[in-house]
Amino acid sequence: AGDATTTSKYTDVKDLGADQLLIDIANYVVGYEIKSRDAVKTARFAILDFASCALRGACEPACAKLLGPVVPGVTCTFGAHVPGTEYYLDPVTATGNMSTCARWLDYNDAFYGAEWTHPSDCIGAVLAVAEYVSRLRNERGLSVLSMRDVIVGVIKTYEIVGILALDNSFNQIGVDHGLLTRVAVAAVTTSMLGGGRLEVMYATSQAFIDGSGLRCFRHYPCAGTRKGWAAGDAASRGVSLALMTMRGEMGYLGALTAPVWGFNDVFYRRQDIALKRDFGEYVMENIVFKPSFPSEVHAQTAIEASFRLHPQVVHRVDEVH
């Protein structure tokens, strides 16, 4: 992890001719100060919720078989620990492992706008990169990241995922919301690795260029276990892009608006992604925890109603249609 801030030679990132959304994300990630006590308090609960979901998910055989290094036996000197396991893995693989465990049983938190999302899919990336960076800095005799740094990173990933989902219904046009996880992770972990605004824009542009995978695995008749590891896959890809960027890989500052070949024309029906609310702390302050049932909010309401109505209909269930 370096301390690159190559945007220092630019008086304004707008001078680069970058897409406005890339600028907004970079300015938020690098320059916004988290002040909301409610957001910080809720982020602490979100991290604990993520950890508990991950520990439980790791107990599932179908999940456990996916954990560990990509190639058995490979170790990493400055690796990140995957909670509930013996594994210390590189930050990319550790991210995939942690987020897969947390997402496996679908109890992790959620946020709802025009698109439904699970911002906690990003927490594994923040934890893995924080541990990696801290181990590296400790080896060099430098100060390590604090839990405050982790909380700030979590709040900012939540905000990027949620605000992008607020007014943009990606699922209606077949775009999987894993895209939002990848974008948020790439942006925030690039900053955690020492990147400045330009690096954040580079990594974020790469995340958009990756485009969208199909979401057929989330729906009948193709629903399957990929729903459990898709978030981990998206988050780990975000970390990979951040690490590539910090090694000097270029970005593409017109990735969204480039005619014909850009994200908006190819994946978003030639429309601009709407950003009707500034990035701040809104999403963390309005996150929905799901301790009772692994379902969306509307389904949770239905399930709660069924529990209350059960005594009245238990003897005539055959009449329920």
Side-chain angles (χ1 to χ4, degrees), residues 13-206:
V13 289
K14 291 183 179 180
D15 294 343
L16 300 171
D19 289 335
Q20 187 60 48
L21 181 56
L22 299 181
I23 294 173
D24 291 340
I25 291 175
N27 284 338
Y28 171 68
V29 169
V30 175
Y32 187 87
E33 181 181 355
I34 301 297
K35 297 180 179 179
S36 167
R37 291 185 177 181
D38 286 341
V40 171
K41 181 179 180 179
T42 305
R44 294 173 66 184
F45 287 127
I47 294 169
L48 290 172
D49 183 69
F50 174 89
S52 62
C53 289
L55 290 171
R56 181 62 184 85
C59 296
E60 294 293 312
C63 176
K65 72 181 182 183
L66 302 176
L67 305 181
V70 176
V71 178
V74 173
T75 59
C76 181
T77 303
F78 301 107
H81 181 229
V82 179
T85 76
E86 62 183 7
Y87 300 122
Y88 283 84
L89 307 173
D90 68 88
V92 175
T93 309
T95 293
N97 276 222
M98 281 191 267
S99 292
T100 293
C101 288
R103 193 75 170 85
W104 196 260
L105 295 175
D106 216 3
Y107 276 100
N108 59 324
D109 62 30
F111 182 79
Y112 304 96
E115 178 74 31
W116 50 84
T117 62
H118 302 272
S120 53
D121 293 342
C122 302
I123 292 181
V126 176
L127 293 176
V129 171
E131 184 170 356
Y132 163 70
V133 169
S134 293
R135 287 179 179 275
L136 201 59
R137 288 185 176 181
N138 187 61
E139 178 71 14
R140 298 173 179 176
L142 303 173
S143 61
V144 300
L145 298 183
S146 67
M147 198 60 204
R148 170 75 183 187
D149 296 319
V150 171
I151 288 172
V152 168
V154 168
I155 292 172
K156 290 186 175 182
T157 57
Y158 271 53
E159 189 74 2
I160 294 170
V161 169
I163 295 302
L164 290 177
L166 208 53
D167 294 292
N168 300 288
S169 182
F170 295 100
N171 69 85
Q172 287 190 355
I173 57 173
V175 173
D176 189 65
H177 61 251
L179 162 74
L180 306 182
T181 298
R182 186 171 65 243
V183 167
V185 166
V188 172
T189 57
T190 296
S191 177
M192 293 177 67
L193 290 164
R197 284 178 172 81
L198 184 60
E199 289 79 20
V200 171
M201 288 193 292
Y202 278 177
T204 306
S205 73
Q206 296 281 13

